[in-house]
Structure formats: structure tokens, C-alpha cells
Amino acid sequence: MEEHKRIFCENVIPEVPDLAIYIPNFITQEEENEIIKYVNSAPLPKWTQLSHRRLQNWGGIPHPKGMIAEKIPSWLQKYVDKVISCNVFEKEKLPNHVLINEYLPGQGIMPHSDGPLFHPIVTTISCGSHTFLDFYKRLDITEQHNPNLEFSLLLERRSLFILQGDLYHNYLHSIAEKDTDIISKSTIKNLGICGEKFSEGESLRRGIRLSLTIRHVPKTSKLKLRIG
């Protein structure tokens, strides 16, 4: 338990609201290769194609009426268990869903929050490439125009990022549609605890990134629901 507390104290991101945690090299290169292999060998119907990226749902498909729970395959459950070992989830609210997003260079996602379908703790493992995760303060509905960038985080490949509390409820997060990211020490708040050292103005070229977003969906059902 003391080791667990020490690791988390070392990995809390400074100058970021509430308890945001970043753990570089959370998985090994061999584990990263295994994840990429299994994700890429999934049958085509497992992929959902969106306009700017494609994704896979494991554990079920979240829905306001309830998620029909499905067993997560053993190759993926291994990494869910590794996240569970960090003790950020309560025993009654352990992760039961994994969303895998594939981002090609130049692809991203608009500012959004994960919303009420999930317990307000989000854990993300990055594979294949880094990305910048940008955060915006959630505005009042009358102010919802061009929110200002508050800060960014550099998510390195093989890292784990844990988002919770105020950062979940009161901020939006996004990934800009870029091929290349430029290091700025004034806006990137976790550079001091990254696994590698980066220089001001350094250019990082994106590759194909797979993100494993591991969460708890509170409302589930083992019965087939009439959806739609």
C-alpha cells in the first residue's frame, strides 16, 4: 500500500485541477505489441467507422437504457486488471468496458466530456504513438463559443492517464487534428513526469495511435434490450 501511495504521489500532475495522474511506461513494449496485434486482428464487424476515426467496443455498447454486458476477452482483461491494480476504482465500480479508438496521423476528436453513462473515472492506455490531450473549461450554455485552451497533456505511447473529479465534471477534452505536435512548456503540464525528456519547440510527428479507454458503466443488463 505504501508503494502504491508513493507511485501515485510521484505521478500526480502538478498545476492540474483535482487528482489527475500520469504514469509513463505503464505497459512494456512487448505488451504494447500484443495489444496492437490483437486490435488489428479483430474481425471487421467489430470496428465502428466514424467520420474522423474508427473504434471498437468491448464489454458491451453503452446506452442510456443500459449496456448489455458482454465478457471482455482474456487478452484485454489482462490490461483491465492491471489498471484495477492501481486501486483508483472502488470495488463496487470496477471497470467493465473498454473503448478502443484508432487515430491516424491528422485525426482527432472535438472537445467533449465522457458524460453520465460512465462512473466519473477514466483511465486511458496509449499504444503506437503519442498524442496531445487538450483541456477546456466547461462554459455556461450561454457562453459555449470558442472556449479557451486551459492546458494540454502529452500522452506518450505505453503510458496510463487517469482523469477524475473536477477534471471529469468541469472540463472538456479533445485531440487536435494534426500530423505534428510542438512541445510548449507553458501549456503542457506533465512534461516533468514524462518517461522521456523533451525540449521547448521540439517537433513530435504522430503515428497510428490506439487508445484503450477503460471505464465503469454503472447501468448494465444481461438481457437484450429494445433499443431504437
Side-chain angles (χ1 to χ4, degrees):
M1 181 61 74
E2 289 303 317
E3 176 69 7
H4 166 75
K5 289 181 179 177
R6 183 187 66 79
I7 290 172
F8 268 45
C9 286
E10 290 176 355
N11 291 281
V12 172
I13 302 171
E15 303 179 62
V16 170
D18 222 328
L19 193 63
I21 296 166
Y22 178 77
I23 304 175
N25 299 310
F26 179 73
I27 59 172
T28 65
Q29 185 169 339
E30 291 75 18
E31 289 173 324
E32 178 188 41
N33 291 340
E34 179 185 56
I35 290 170
I36 292 171
K37 181 189 77 172
Y38 275 107
V39 171
N40 288 336
S41 63
L44 198 58
K46 192 64 185 175
W47 288 101
T48 299
Q49 183 67 55
L50 304 181
S51 57
H52 294 285
R53 67 188 189 285
R54 60 177 187 162
L55 56 84
Q56 298 176 11
N57 277 284
W58 294 96
I61 299 177
H63 190 275
K65 293 183 178 179
M67 180 178 77
I68 301 170
E70 300 172 357
K71 184 176 175 60
I72 294 174
S74 58
W75 70 265
L76 186 54
Q77 186 62 46
K78 176 169 68 173
Y79 299 103
V80 175
D81 292 341
K82 192 165 186 173
V83 168
I84 289 172
S85 72
C86 293
N87 295 324
V88 292
F89 289 93
E90 301 167 35
K91 286 186 177 179
E92 302 77 24
K93 297 172 182 175
L94 295 178
N96 57 0
H97 180 262
V98 184
L99 176 66
I100 300 180
N101 277 295
E102 178 193 66
Y103 294 95
L104 303 180
Q107 292 183 335
I109 187 169
M110 296 289 288
H112 69 284
S113 66
D114 287 35
L117 291 183
F118 305 97
H119 182 62
I121 297 176
V122 182
T123 61
T124 302
I125 298 173
S126 295
C127 297
S129 176
H130 81 283
T131 199
F132 280 15
L133 195 62
D134 299 326
F135 285 85
Y136 301 83
K137 195 75 183 286
R138 187 192 294 274
L139 302 175
D140 181 88
I141 195 165
T142 60
E143 306 176 285
Q144 207 70 325
H145 58 276
N146 298 326
N148 293 322
L149 175 67
E150 295 283 328
F151 58 88
S152 299
L153 301 176
L154 169 54
L155 306 188
E156 300 166 285
R157 58 190 300 179
R158 298 189 289 278
S159 67
L160 174 70
F161 173 55
I162 302 171
L163 181 157
Q164 55 190 323
D166 185 48
L167 206 55
Y168 185 98
H169 293 291
N170 296 320
Y171 286 78
L172 307 176
H173 54 277
S174 69
I175 296 173
E177 295 183 337
K178 296 180 180 178
D179 295 308
T180 304
D181 297 297
I182 305 298
I183 295 293
S184 169
K185 293 182 179 180
S186 63
T187 56
I188 304 171
K189 299 303 183 184
N190 65 322
L191 287 178
I193 55 175
C194 281
E196 297 184 34
K197 300 301 178 188
F198 300 95
S199 304
E200 180 72 22
E202 183 176 347
S203 176
L204 305 179
R205 190 159 186 82
R206 293 186 192 175
I208 298 173
R209 175 174 175 262
L210 297 174
S211 67
L212 279 62
T213 302
I214 300 169
R215 296 173 286 197
H216 173 76
V217 177
K219 192 173 181 181
T220 62
S221 171
K222 292 183 179 178
L223 302 174
K224 288 196 177 278
L225 302 174
R226 298 176 72 96
I227 295 174

